[in-house]
Amino acid sequence: NAESWGPGSDVMIMRVCVVGAGALGSLFAAKLARSSQLQGANVVLFSRWEQCVNAVNSTGLQLEDGSKTTSTVKNVKAASSFRSVYELLEGPADIALCTVKSHATEMAANDIASILSSSGMCVTFQNGVGNAEVLASCLGADRVIVGSTSHGSLLLEAAKVRHTGVGYTVLAPLQRTALTEMTCQQISDMLSQADIETTVSSESPSTILWRKLCVNVGINAICSVLQTTNSAVFENPLCRSIVTHAVMEAVFVASKLGIPLKTVQGDSTHDSSQRRYVCGLVHVESELNRYHQLYGNTAVTFDGLEMEVLYATLATVFRVAQQTSANRCSTLQDVLRSRPTEIDRINGVIVGQAQELGVHVPVNALLVSLVHATQQTAPHRVSKPLT
């Protein structure tokens, strides 16, 4: 009985609206709709991209897996208006998954407020920080869940998405109560049943978001400037050096803001494993000395515990790049399509927070400028050698 679902209810979530028909939104919509364990669930993809909406409704949503095998998911529908969402879901949504670009969050918040039932919950799967607060200002903090995923996805064309890398997904309620914790677990179960393995974290939403932010800081800008897949971050020594410097700045800023990034506390075996993994790729202490020599920025330093946090964060960055090596990060996809990027909400956040702290972060500042310059100079790009 879809009508009886609500936060803390034992009834399975039946009406799901995925807001945003980009790569991640299309991936999640396809997986939720085709899950045999979620039979009876109604999934609608909401977007104002009419070409995509028409394609989904006429031929279905195509999902290509890592082996390049394509399946067509036909039991997902798409809508570009609130009225259509209501008609397709046969009522308001129980859950909205917000996957839009960060610069579109305010508009999406108003859309979601019109789509959700009075007891409905919104999960944000967006890059950067601050999106959850924008959604909460419209929906209420007790109706927002922070999500972070490292699944890689590439939108090949309207209504066709490639799953380019399997990752981890974590959730945490923006406002912790017994009810929001219970609802968060229900949504986690729903995603896991759709082959999106998900856990509920006991950590603060800010920790989850900043840990994901550090991953994006390490991958998105450099891959967008060099126009490479995520593999460059893991495979190329020069890229690994630049990434290490950018992540150093991000971890240092997070430390100054009092945001804990360490995943496992007091597990020496885990710490040693992460250190060995990173040391096989970069010599962190040497890179820190090189950073000081190159930029004269000796303020960026790490004590014993902070150094372990840096190793853990770098391990996450490199592992995500390795697991999603074939992926084109979202910022690169925007650059190639001449669309606004989220770089100001990723590396730009590090720059902005550092300025407020009176700290210099030259690597992230340069990466932000290079991404903007890459977009602005696109008409002048040389694509063929002289003959």
Side-chain angles (χ1 to χ4, degrees):
N1 181 357
E3 294 298 328
S4 65
W5 186 88
S9 168
D10 292 330
V11 178
M12 186 178 75
I13 298 164
M14 298 296 288
R15 297 179 297 208
V16 181
C17 182
V18 180
V19 180
L24 186 64
S26 296
L27 174 67
F28 276 24
K31 281 185 165 291
L32 286 165
R34 79 172 186 177
S35 172
S36 60
Q37 295 187 60
L38 293 175
Q39 287 183 355
N42 204 345
V43 181
V44 170
L45 187 60
F46 177 75
S47 174
R48 289 191 169 81
W49 183 13
E50 291 290 350
Q51 181 185 358
C52 181
V53 171
N54 293 335
V56 171
N57 289 334
S58 61
T59 60
L61 187 53
Q62 296 182 70
L63 175 60
E64 184 182 291
D65 62 22
S67 62
K68 302 294 179 69
T69 301
T70 301
S71 59
T72 300
V73 183
K74 293 189 176 181
N75 61 323
V76 59
K77 296 299 180 183
S80 59
S81 69
F82 308 142
R83 181 184 296 273
S84 296
V85 171
Y86 269 67
E87 290 175 353
L88 293 169
L89 289 178
E90 299 179 356
D94 299 326
I95 299 296
L97 305 184
C98 184
T99 66
V100 303
K101 300 294 184 183
S102 54
H103 50 73
T105 304
E106 188 171 351
M107 179 182 293
N110 292 319
D111 291 340
I112 292 167
S114 300
I115 291 168
L116 276 179
S117 68
S118 58
S119 60
M121 299 288 286
C122 173
V123 187
T124 167
F125 285 107
Q126 298 171 271
N127 288 329
V129 296
N131 296 300
E133 288 75 14
V134 173
L135 291 165
S137 67
C138 188
L139 304 173
D142 61 337
R143 299 178 67 199
V144 177
I145 292 171
V146 169
S148 173
T149 186
S150 59
H151 279 273
S153 53
L154 175 64
L155 192 67
L156 301 174
E157 58 187 69
K160 184 174 183 179
V161 63
R162 176 183 296 161
H163 192 187
T164 54
V166 176
Y168 59 88
T169 302
V170 295
L171 304 177
L174 187 61
Q175 185 177 92
R176 287 191 183 276
T177 66
L179 198 57
T180 58
E181 290 272 12
M182 190 182 302
T183 305
C184 201
Q185 186 60 57
Q186 288 176 310
I187 297 172
S188 174
D189 293 343
M190 176 192 74
L191 292 171
S192 295
Q193 288 171 351
D195 198 28
I196 305 167
E197 187 177 346
T198 306
T199 58
V200 177
S201 175
S202 60
E203 297 175 309
S204 70
S206 60
T207 292
I208 292 170
L209 291 174
W210 268 80
R211 191 176 293 129
K212 173 66 182 298
L213 179 65
C214 286
V215 172
N216 291 143
V217 161
I219 293 175
N220 288 42
I222 191 166
C223 288
S224 300
V225 172
L226 299 179
Q227 301 197 357
T228 66
T229 61
N230 292 357
S231 59
V233 169
F234 177 76
E235 295 173 0
N236 184 271
L238 288 175
C239 288
R240 293 200 297 264
S241 177
I242 296 169
V243 167
T244 299
H245 293 172
V247 173
M248 282 176 178
E249 292 178 348
V251 171
F252 181 76
V253 169
S255 175
K256 292 301 178 185
L257 292 172
I259 298 171
L261 295 178
K262 202 167 191 307
T263 308
V264 178
Q265 301 290 340
D267 186 341
S268 59
T269 302
H270 182 79
D271 291 343
S272 298
S273 174
Q274 290 185 321
R275 183 180 280 264
R276 285 195 302 272
Y277 174 75
V278 173
C279 286
L281 299 170
V282 292
H283 193 285
V284 175
E285 285 78 2
S286 296
E287 287 295 343
L288 182 57
N289 290 333
R290 185 165 175 265
Y291 175 88
H292 291 157
Q293 293 169 2
L294 284 172
Y295 306 107
N297 189 12
T298 56
V300 175
T301 57
F302 304 90
D303 62 21
L305 179 59
E306 290 169 342
M307 186 60 80
E308 291 304 323
V309 172
L310 177 60
Y311 270 102
T313 305
L314 285 169
T316 301
V317 172
F318 290 131
R319 281 198 172 102
V320 169
Q322 183 180 16
Q323 292 164 356
T324 61
S325 59
N327 192 44
R328 298 179 183 182
C329 69
S330 60
T331 307
L332 174 58
Q333 293 182 51
D334 290 335
V335 167
L336 296 175
R337 291 188 170 98
S338 300
R339 297 187 308 212
T341 74
E342 296 177 296
I343 201 64
D344 291 327
R345 298 289 187 96
I346 302 173
N347 301 73
V349 169
I350 307 303
V351 176
Q353 292 290 344
Q355 287 175 341
E356 292 184 16
L357 293 167
V359 175
H360 296 293
V361 286
V363 176
N364 278 281
L366 178 60
L367 287 171
V368 171
S369 295
L370 284 172
V371 172
H372 286 305
T374 299
Q375 287 197 290
Q376 293 171 14
T377 59
H380 309 287
R381 193 158 299 131
V382 176
S383 57
K384 294 181 180 180
L386 293 174
T387 56

